Amino acid sequence: MADREDVAPAHPLPSAGSRLATPAFRAVLVAAVALVAVTGRGQQPAMPVAKPWDAVLICSFNIQVFGEAKMAKREVVEVLARVARKFDIVAIQEVRAKSDEVVPSFVRAVNADGSQYHYVIGPREGRTVSKEQYTFVYDTRRIEVDASSLGVVPNPSNALHRPPMHVRFRTRIQPAEMAFTFWLVDIHTDPDEVPSELQALSTVFQQMQALRPDEDDVIVLGDLNAGPPEFTAFKRIPGIGWAVSGTTTNTRRSKTYDNLIFSQPQTSEYLGTWGVFDLQNAFGLPLEKALEVSDHNPVWAAFYPAEHRGQSAGFMAAQPATVR
Amino acid sequence: MTADQPDEMASLAARLESKDADDRTAAAEKLAQAGEAAAPAAIPLVRACGDADERVREWAVAALEELGPPPDDVIATLATLATGSVPLAAYWAVTLLGRAGQAAAGTAGVLADCLASGDAAVAQRAAWALGKLGPAAAVAREQLRAAAQSADPRLARLAVEALAASGGA
């Protein structure tokens, strides 16, 4: 399988408010974009060539029915592993297996080339006997986890079919005292109850913002089963923005389901660079083969790896002593 | 070629009855990859939720998540499956009836019975589905009012919403 690794021009964050990047920060941002952008291909954003020193690449990937049957397909696992190696963190949805061995086995496949990825995984969730798990697979050379931060969002009114998993990360690319720290909140919504789930998720977002006084960066990412026009509840949050817009995210290129949502004023580390990693284009796969990998393409966004203390009053995200 | 041709859908649906679990798994996986084109296989997929093999069940669920509203001509069969003994199959039958909306108006009574299911997910989904039926859910108001008093907050909320949709809040 060919790995073309094309890259399209950077895309701006769709704005529900104004961007807050300062001129100096924009200069760094442009440098980062220049580092990763090699060739444009139409309007379809693709993917950085290599992990840059001045950007952390965060990905969301719904790996449809990620279980033993999928792991038994060597070619599929190889594609999945190559995808994972492109990113610093991959937030995965749809781990579906009674076995606990699926994700460890996958991480071993990722690390087969000498990479040093690790993972954290949540409990099985869902209202029926068909359960799913969230997992974050991350590059330990560039990312570390606050081990005390792993958890599942409380769901007292049972508004969410699969309550999101939250984990707090810190980049290792920068010195600890200035490294970018952030919450990731992994979600796979119920396609039959999208409006009410997005309403609940917008509340979760705000609860996560308030969870720790020393952390204001919250990134909700996953398979939302909805695109930006349906983000009504989120749009009520001042400054909210999202990475993916104006393109499709499923493998059939017909729907926009996957995204990364965050506050623009708070998460000013966002570099304005995002993409949909089109499995067909990236690996030269026909649709049928790409669908064996997943019915979703990975989506990603780039963030500056140091805390940006520019214009957010009361900004106090970095508390490295609490991150292990 | 992807598995979205009618003949191939029928073939895949038939393979869900195979005696070979690997073959059933492969068929369910192909149907899950077909998206909305798998709608003609709705009934076999719901039945596959009761398969003995976990892999078949999981791929069947994945297919059902993506296939959208069912064809009108399978609604009566879905109503039968909604009251079946396999909770996961009942859950998906009820879900598809809800997706059918007005086309499933004649199943409001069945869905009302499902409100009393011993499986919480089925009962909750039945309330959701009745909400999708709109005024046709009026025949279920008595059961919906009872559900609206449930100690299960999700069931209660969905029942209230269904009552409102039926015009009888």
Side-chain angles (χ1 to χ4, degrees):
Chain A
M1 295 175 181
D3 185 349
R4 304 212 308 252
E5 300 180 341
D6 293 348
V7 169
H11 290 247
L13 183 69
S15 181
S18 61
R19 292 291 315 283
L20 288 179
T22 62
F25 192 61
R26 289 290 297 180
V28 174
L29 182 159
V30 170
V33 171
L35 182 67
V36 299
V38 177
T39 60
R41 192 180 62 252
Q43 295 301 306
Q44 177 67 27
M47 142 101 241
V49 168
K51 291 175 186 170
W53 65 269
D54 54 359
V56 57
L57 306 177
I58 300 175
C59 170
S60 169
F61 192 7
N62 179 324
I63 304 177
Q64 187 186 31
V65 189
F66 192 22
E68 290 164 309
K70 185 154 285 185
M71 285 301 295
K73 295 180 178 179
R74 194 173 64 181
E75 286 189 3
V76 170
V77 174
E78 178 58 23
V79 169
L80 291 170
R82 291 171 72 181
V83 169
R85 291 183 199 122
K86 309 290 185 188
F87 300 100
D88 292 309
I89 306 173
V90 184
I92 294 172
Q93 303 93 44
E94 274 210 45
V95 177
R96 291 197 203 193
K98 283 191 173 168
S99 165
D100 290 327
E101 188 52 31
V102 168
V103 175
S105 174
F106 173 60
V107 172
R108 284 195 294 275
V110 174
N111 289 339
D113 73 337
S115 295
Q116 296 174 37
Y117 279 76
H118 195 44
Y119 71 97
V120 290
I121 191 164
R124 292 175 175 80
E125 298 188 83
R127 298 187 181 114
T128 70
V129 294
S130 176
K131 309 287 188 190
E132 296 184 14
Q133 290 171 281
Y134 300 112
T135 187
F136 293 93
V137 175
Y138 61 97
D139 186 344
T140 59
R141 293 171 299 191
R142 291 164 59 90
I143 297 291
E144 58 190 333
V145 165
D146 177 349
S148 68
S149 71
L150 278 64
V152 174
V153 169
N155 191 31
S157 59
N158 203 357
L160 292 156
H161 190 159
R162 295 169 280 254
M165 176 186 180
H166 59 68
V167 182
R168 187 167 178 253
F169 293 92
R170 182 173 71 180
T171 64
R172 301 183 67 191
I173 308 171
Q174 297 282 338
E177 64 273 14
M178 60 187 296
F180 177 39
T181 65
F182 50 95
W183 286 111
L184 291 186
V185 183
D186 197 358
I187 179 67
H188 180 198
T189 65
D190 183 335
D192 288 298
E193 300 188 38
V194 168
S196 61
E197 292 228 344
L198 290 184
Q199 174 69 50
L201 195 57
S202 69
T203 301
V204 167
F205 178 86
Q206 293 170 301
Q207 290 171 337
M208 290 301 300
Q209 284 186 308
L211 192 59
R212 292 174 60 129
D214 59 348
E215 184 58 81
D216 66 347
D217 294 308
V218 178
I219 302 168
V220 169
L221 73 174
D223 174 6
L224 301 166
N225 280 298
E230 299 162 87
F231 293 170
T232 308
F234 274 101
K235 289 173 184 173
R236 298 190 187 107
I237 302 173
I240 202 73
W242 46 90
V244 178
S245 183
T247 189
T248 59
T249 67
N250 66 336
T251 309
R252 288 181 176 271
R253 300 172 179 161
S254 58
K255 311 274 189 184
T256 305
Y257 281 161
D258 308 272
N259 222 316
L260 300 89
I261 299 176
F262 47 88
S263 164
Q264 295 176 83
Q266 264 78 46
T267 307
S268 54
E269 294 82 359
Y270 175 58
L271 291 171
T273 309
W274 60 273
V276 178
F277 186 52
D278 187 285
L279 293 167
Q280 292 182 72
N281 286 346
F283 297 106
L285 296 173
L287 176 59
E288 185 175 21
K289 288 293 182 187
L291 286 168
E292 287 186 18
V293 178
S294 182
D295 60 342
H296 290 251
N297 285 317
V299 300
W300 61 273
F303 298 82
Y304 193 64
E307 286 286 355
H308 177 225
R309 299 164 190 272
Q311 301 177 30
S312 178
F315 194 95
M316 48 191 298
Q319 277 289 329
T322 63
V323 180
R324 299 170 184 87
Chain B
M1 278 183 58
T2 53
D4 48 10
Q5 308 302 323
D7 288 350
E8 187 162 7
M9 290 299 107
S11 171
L12 291 170
R15 286 172 56 195
L16 291 175
E17 305 287 331
S18 168
K19 291 180 179 175
D20 181 347
D22 289 341
D23 193 37
R24 296 199 304 278
T25 301
E29 179 178 355
K30 283 289 183 191
L31 287 164
Q33 293 165 1
E36 295 176 0
I43 297 300
L45 283 167
V46 170
R47 290 192 171 121
C49 289
D51 197 286
D53 192 292
E54 179 201 7
R55 298 169 302 164
V56 179
R57 294 195 304 271
E58 294 298 347
W59 280 112
V61 167
L64 289 162
E65 285 178 348
E66 302 298 329
L67 63 67
D72 288 355
D73 61 359
V74 306
I75 285 174
T77 307
L78 287 172
T80 302
L81 292 169
T83 54
S85 60
V86 178
L88 187 61
Y91 175 88
W92 280 105
V94 168
T95 298
L96 294 182
L97 291 173
R99 286 184 191 167
Q102 298 290 327
T107 68
V110 171
L111 291 171
D113 291 343
C114 291
L115 289 171
S117 169
D119 185 280
V122 173
Q124 293 164 4
R125 207 54 149 188
W128 168 85
L130 285 163
K132 298 297 179 186
L133 265 52
V139 299
R141 278 182 193 154
E142 183 179 338
Q143 295 94 326
L144 283 169
R145 288 192 183 105
Q149 302 302 314
S150 169
D152 175 345
R154 174 172 159 77
L155 176 59
R157 173 174 61 82
L158 291 168
V160 168
E161 291 173 6
L163 277 168
S166 76

